[in-house]
């Protein structure tokens, strides 16, 4: 069972803390894999709006966690507490994966974890982060950035995107989608290494394309064109493009490609189908085409993705059965 620790102090943003607690605190009913062992770590009683939060452990326990989440920092004009900075740095040095939500990036930057790395934060504070920490490559245009052991997200909704991204890395797309369904949010908006921002199916019933999205999803194995989509939506291709941009923030073909890649991920995770079969099932046509788009979007070829995912799953299962890991989880 992987351990996740939330680093909380006076001055944190409550929304981001709640998002992380909701995602990692309990698994959806249909999920049977070992879930995260979540703990809240802080320097003592923490003001929480009109309430007070009593962390289970001190900040020194962060270094026992597999993943450390740093919620947003409310006042970016004030330096984060030195004890928080030191604890986050120590956790990373001990091997933890550290992720900041929203302006939590200021904590990671102060700890030196973002030096020489690409990072993001809430768009309203990217200029401040860049000027205060010139050694950080601040990208204001993405939802989140994944540097492996260090991850950062933009504000509010993007914090949820990053949390779902972490679940996807640990457990795969199907389980991440199950978490998203429980939260009634879109299952996948990628925006890190590949800088490929894909907007999911809108929830509004009165959206002009509401009926079109599920129609597309059911036909991902077919060679759909913009003209096919426009015909199904009973509008011109130009009109379709305008509605797509308004609803998803991208073009019809970019959105369609994102859904094909998402479906390919699920097939690679859950089946032993050949790459040729996966290419056919996702409408890519050939293994060469699938490999090109998959590698460009996710940064790895599909063969490597499958091996990495299954290796990570085996490691997760081993950790869940390890008495040493369980002892750490019980004490953190």
């Amino acid at each position: 069972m992987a351990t996740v620790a939330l680093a909380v102090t006076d001055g944190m943003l409550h929304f981001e803390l709640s998002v992380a607690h909701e995602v990692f605190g309990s698994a959806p009913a249909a999920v049977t894999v070992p879930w995260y062992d979540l703990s809240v770590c802080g320097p003592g009683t923490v003001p929480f709006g009109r309430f007070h939060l009593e962390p289970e452990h001190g900040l020194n326990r962060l270094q026992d966690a597999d993943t450390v989440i740093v919620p947003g920092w409310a006042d970016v004009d004030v330096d984060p507490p030195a004890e928080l900075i030191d604890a986050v740095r120590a956790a990373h040095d001990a091997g933890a994966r550290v992720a900041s939500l929203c302006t939590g990036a200021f904590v990671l930057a102060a700890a030196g974890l973002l030096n020489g790395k690409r990072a993001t934060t809430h768009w309203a504070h990217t200029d401040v982060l860049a000027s205060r920490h010139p050694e950080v490559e601040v990208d204001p245009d993405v939802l989140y950035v994944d540097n492996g052991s260090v991850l950062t997200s933009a504000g509010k909704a993007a914090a949820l995107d990053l949390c779902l991204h972490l679940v996807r890395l640990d457990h795969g797309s199907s389980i991440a989608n199950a978490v998203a369904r429980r939260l009634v949010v879109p299952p996948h908006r990628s925006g890190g290494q590949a800088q490929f921002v894909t907007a999911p199916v809108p929830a509004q019933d009165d959206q002009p394309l509401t009926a079109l999205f599920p129609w597309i999803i059911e036909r991902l194995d077919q060679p759909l064109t913009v003209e096919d989509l426009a015909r199904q939506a009973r509008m011109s291709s130009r009109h379709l493009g305008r509605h797509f941009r308004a609803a998803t923030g991208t073009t019809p073909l970019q959105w369609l490609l994102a859904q094909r890649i998402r479906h390919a991920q699920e097939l690679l995770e859950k089946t032993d189908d050949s790459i040729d079969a996966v290419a056919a099932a996702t409408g890519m046509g050939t293994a060469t085409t699938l490999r090109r788009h998959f590698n460009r979007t996710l940064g790895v070829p599909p063969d490597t993705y499958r091996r990495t995912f299954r290796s990570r799953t085996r490691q997760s299962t081993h950790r869940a059965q390890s008495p040493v890991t369980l002892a750490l989880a019980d004490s953190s």
Side-chain angles (χ1 to χ4, degrees), residues 319-332:
R319 284 199 304 268
Q321 297 172 346
S322 167
V324 174
T325 301
L326 289 175
L328 286 174
D330 290 340
S331 64
S332 58

Side-chain angles (χ1 to χ4, degrees), residues 8-325:
V8 300
T9 60
D10 187 10
M12 66 184 176
L13 293 175
H14 307 153
F15 178 84
E16 286 74 7
L17 171 65
S18 300
V19 162
H21 197 284
E22 182 66 25
V23 171
F24 300 108
S26 61
V31 173
T32 58
V33 299
W35 203 239
Y36 303 94
D37 182 21
L38 179 69
S39 62
V40 179
C41 303
T45 301
V46 176
F48 194 76
R50 297 182 179 180
F51 307 95
H52 288 86
L53 183 65
E54 296 289 345
E56 304 163 275
H57 307 289
L59 289 172
N60 61 311
R61 287 299 184 93
L62 295 181
Q63 58 189 306
D64 292 334
D66 297 310
T67 298
V68 172
I69 306 293
V70 182
W73 184 245
D75 190 349
V76 298
D77 294 325
V78 176
D79 291 333
E83 58 183 337
L84 174 61
I85 295 171
D86 292 342
V88 169
R89 185 190 298 116
H92 184 261
D93 290 344
R97 176 178 62 181
V98 179
S100 66
L101 308 181
C102 192
T103 48
F106 283 81
V107 178
L108 271 58
L113 303 188
L114 300 181
N115 290 353
K117 293 183 174 66
R118 182 166 150 264
T120 195
T121 188
H122 191 290
W123 61 266
H125 304 294
T126 51
D127 289 345
V128 178
L129 182 63
S131 62
R132 187 173 303 167
H133 299 281
E135 65 279 7
V136 180
E137 181 187 344
V138 179
D139 190 336
D141 299 321
V142 294
L143 295 176
Y144 54 85
V145 176
D146 183 344
N147 287 302
S149 65
V150 179
L151 305 91
T152 54
S153 85
K156 303 305 179 185
L160 180 53
D161 290 322
L162 178 54
C163 289
L164 290 174
H165 173 68
L166 292 173
V167 174
R168 189 175 299 107
L169 289 175
D170 295 339
H171 296 293
S173 296
S174 295
I175 291 179
N177 290 347
V179 176
R181 283 194 296 272
R182 182 187 69 181
L183 299 175
V184 198
V185 297
H188 188 208
R189 294 200 304 165
S190 65
Q193 296 169 331
Q195 298 186 48
F196 189 84
V197 180
T198 132
V201 178
Q204 298 93 330
D205 292 337
D206 59 349
Q207 216 284 332
L209 303 181
T210 297
L212 180 63
F213 290 112
W215 183 87
I216 297 173
I217 296 298
E218 293 172 1
R219 293 166 175 78
L220 291 178
D221 60 330
Q222 301 178 20
L224 300 173
T225 66
V226 173
E227 289 71 25
D228 293 330
L229 306 188
R231 189 178 307 111
Q232 178 64 25
R234 298 181 180 179
M235 60 181 68
S236 68
S237 298
R238 179 174 296 182
H239 198 195
L240 176 76
R242 286 198 297 268
H243 278 295
F244 243 94
R245 177 69 67 176
T248 71
T250 189
T251 67
L253 289 182
Q254 287 174 329
W255 187 88
L256 176 59
L257 176 61
Q259 308 316 306
R260 295 192 194 281
I261 295 296
R262 177 191 56 77
H263 188 39
Q265 286 179 274
E266 293 182 349
L267 293 176
L268 291 167
E269 294 167 7
K270 298 166 63 176
T271 75
D272 292 318
D273 293 351
S274 67
I275 302 302
D276 287 298
V278 172
T282 57
M284 296 285 190
T286 66
T288 300
T289 301
L290 172 61
R291 287 190 174 96
R292 182 175 70 252
H293 287 300
F294 201 94
N295 195 23
R296 186 176 63 186
T297 302
L298 297 177
V300 293
D303 318 68
T304 302
Y305 179 88
R306 170 177 274 165
R307 287 195 302 271
T308 302
F309 173 80
R310 295 191 174 181
S311 173
R312 187 170 58 240
T313 301
R314 286 194 297 270
Q315 291 171 4
S316 177
T317 302
H318 175 73
R319 284 199 304 268
Q321 297 172 346
S322 167
V324 174
T325 301

